[in-house]
């Protein structure tokens, strides 16, 4: 654990708690350490996991990729972020998952705008070997960024859902209970994507797992992030653990084994040793 003055078994216990959806103060009580120690362990583990994902997932032949964004917030809701600080207020986690192996390919945390979308798509370009099929939701920033990053080398379509009320008219409270989806249509942006694979079902299910196993995404609690950096460390830890350590019920192995990026189920010790 680098320069942390804490026994390895205690650090592993803390990480086990964090990846099972336990909050910082609950970890403090269960592990018998100060909450600053929990956050220090999270920071070191998050940095290690981010380096692991960056090094391991490069130009891999994923076939069907689905991308979506998850809402959360840091420090305060966007309506209270009066100075426009980009590190506070509403924050979205952009995730990409392989539909076959359920492997979370990459992530980016930031505002739901063209800046973060560009950062995410440019990073996705490094992770997945072309050609492949990409499906996103109807976020308007995606088509231009995908066209710029991939230059028509992939098969890309959007699944655009229609709701009983426009999403931009929802209040902050209604965001937690979105309106009824009354329809969806597929829009091909480039290439010849398979119509049967134009969906976001797997990434939506992955979003559910993220909310289940990460306290910072649990709605209507006090577990929200107070610092953007800690949110990023937390997501990096969850993604690496989900890929390499957690056996997925869909195929009875970890997503990394299914994708050919590992040959066995990793332990927390192996995750930290990278």
């Amino acid at each position: 654990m680098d320069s942390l003055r804490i026994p390895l078994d205690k650090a592993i216990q803390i990480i086990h708690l964090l990846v099972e959806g336990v909050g910082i103060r609950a970890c403090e009580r269960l592990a018998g350490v100060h909450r600053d120690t929990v956050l220090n362990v999270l920071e070191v583990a998050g940095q290690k996991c981010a380096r692991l994902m960056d090094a391991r997932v490069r130009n891999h032949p994923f076939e069907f990729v689905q991308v979506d964004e998850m809402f959360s917030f840091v420090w305060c809701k966007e309506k209270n972020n009066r100075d426009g600080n980009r590190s506070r207020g509403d924050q979205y986690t952009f995730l990409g998952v392989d539909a076959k192996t359920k492997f979370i390919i990459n992530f980016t945390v930031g505002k739901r705008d063209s800046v973060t979308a560009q950062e995410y798509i440019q990073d996705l370009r490094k992770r997945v070997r072309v050609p492949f099929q990409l499906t996103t939701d109807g976020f308007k920033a995606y088509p231009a960024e995908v066209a710029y990053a991939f230059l028509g080398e992939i098969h890309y379509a959007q699944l655009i859902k229609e709701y009983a009320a426009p999403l931009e008219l929802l209040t902050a409270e209604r965001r937690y209970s979105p309106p009824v989806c009354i329809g969806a249509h597929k829009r091909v942006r480039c290439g010849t994507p398979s119509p049967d694979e134009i969906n976001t079902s797997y990434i939506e299910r992955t979003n559910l797992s993220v909310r289940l196993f990460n306290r910072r995404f649990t709605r209507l609690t006090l577990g929200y992030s107070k610092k953007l950096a800690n949110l990023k460390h937390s997501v990096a830890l969850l993604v690496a653990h989900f890929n390499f350590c957690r056996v997925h019920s869909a195929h009875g192995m970890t997503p990394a084994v299914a994708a050919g990026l590992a040959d066995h189920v990793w332990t927390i010790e192996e995750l930290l040793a990278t």
Side-chain angles (χ1 to χ4, degrees):
M1 293 298 293
D2 297 342
S3 60
L4 291 183
R5 295 191 296 270
I6 181 175
L8 181 60
D9 59 343
K10 181 63 69 173
I12 291 171
Q13 179 191 7
I14 293 172
I15 293 172
H16 267 298
L17 293 171
L18 291 173
V19 297
E20 291 297 335
V22 179
I24 299 298
R25 291 180 183 270
C27 284
E28 177 184 36
R29 294 188 294 270
L30 293 170
V33 298
H34 194 273
R35 57 183 172 274
D36 289 346
T37 302
V38 177
L39 290 172
N40 289 337
V41 171
L42 172 64
E43 179 181 1
V44 172
Q47 291 172 346
K48 285 177 174 288
C49 290
R51 291 195 296 267
L52 167 69
M53 290 294 297
D54 183 60
R56 288 263 177 165
V57 188
R58 290 277 179 173
N59 198 32
H60 195 77
F62 296 112
E63 190 173 357
F64 300 106
V65 178
Q66 299 178 7
V67 171
D68 197 15
E69 318 86 50
M70 291 185 61
F71 167 76
S72 61
F73 65 94
V74 172
W75 184 260
C76 64
K77 298 291 183 63
E78 190 62 37
K79 64 180 181 180
N80 296 321
N81 185 24
R82 295 184 176 87
D83 59 355
N85 189 337
R86 286 186 63 87
S87 64
R88 292 185 175 182
D90 293 356
Q91 302 291 338
Y92 285 81
T93 301
F94 288 63
L95 287 176
V97 66
D98 175 48
K100 286 190 173 182
T101 64
K102 314 304 182 291
F103 188 92
I104 301 177
I105 301 167
N106 66 334
F107 73 92
T108 300
V109 179
K111 298 293 185 180
R112 192 173 188 260
D113 56 16
S114 58
V115 175
T116 310
Q118 181 184 55
E119 180 182 351
Y120 176 79
I121 295 298
Q122 290 291 337
D123 184 66
L124 184 67
R125 181 68 176 85
K126 306 172 186 176
R127 311 296 170 195
V128 188
R129 184 182 306 167
V130 297
F132 65 95
Q133 179 165 327
L134 173 65
T135 303
T136 69
D137 61 10
F139 183 37
K140 296 179 180 179
Y142 281 132
E145 301 303 336
V146 171
Y148 177 77
F150 293 99
L151 302 174
E153 295 180 294
I154 65 172
H155 309 289
Y156 171 46
Q158 286 183 296
L159 182 68
I160 303 174
K161 297 179 180 179
E162 299 176 3
Y163 296 92
L167 287 176
E168 59 269 17
L169 298 182
L170 297 178
T171 63
E173 290 75 17
R174 287 293 298 166
R175 187 190 301 273
Y176 291 105
S177 301
V180 177
C181 180
I182 58 176
H185 62 275
K186 303 173 182 179
R187 180 172 297 175
V188 176
R189 293 297 187 178
C190 67
T192 55
S194 171
D196 293 338
E197 298 295 338
I198 302 176
N199 71 82
T200 55
S201 299
Y202 296 110
I203 183 61
E204 294 286 358
R205 180 58 183 84
T206 303
N207 290 346
L208 175 62
S209 294
V210 172
R211 291 198 180 279
L212 178 65
F213 295 119
N214 191 316
R215 185 64 169 173
R216 296 167 187 269
F217 289 89
T218 306
R219 303 175 190 270
L220 299 176
T221 71
L222 296 177
Y224 59 88
S225 294
K226 314 308 185 291
K227 293 182 179 180
L228 181 60
N230 289 338
L231 176 60
K232 293 180 178 180
H233 296 322
S234 181
V235 174
L237 174 59
L238 181 140
V239 167
H241 182 271
F242 182 92
N243 284 335
F244 290 92
C245 302
R246 191 180 298 279
V247 175
H248 201 288
S249 60
H251 36 57
M253 61 185 77
T254 64
V257 172
L261 291 169
D263 57 7
H264 66 284
V265 179
W266 284 19
T267 62
I268 296 292
E269 292 91 332
E270 290 176 292
L271 200 63
L272 296 178
T274 55

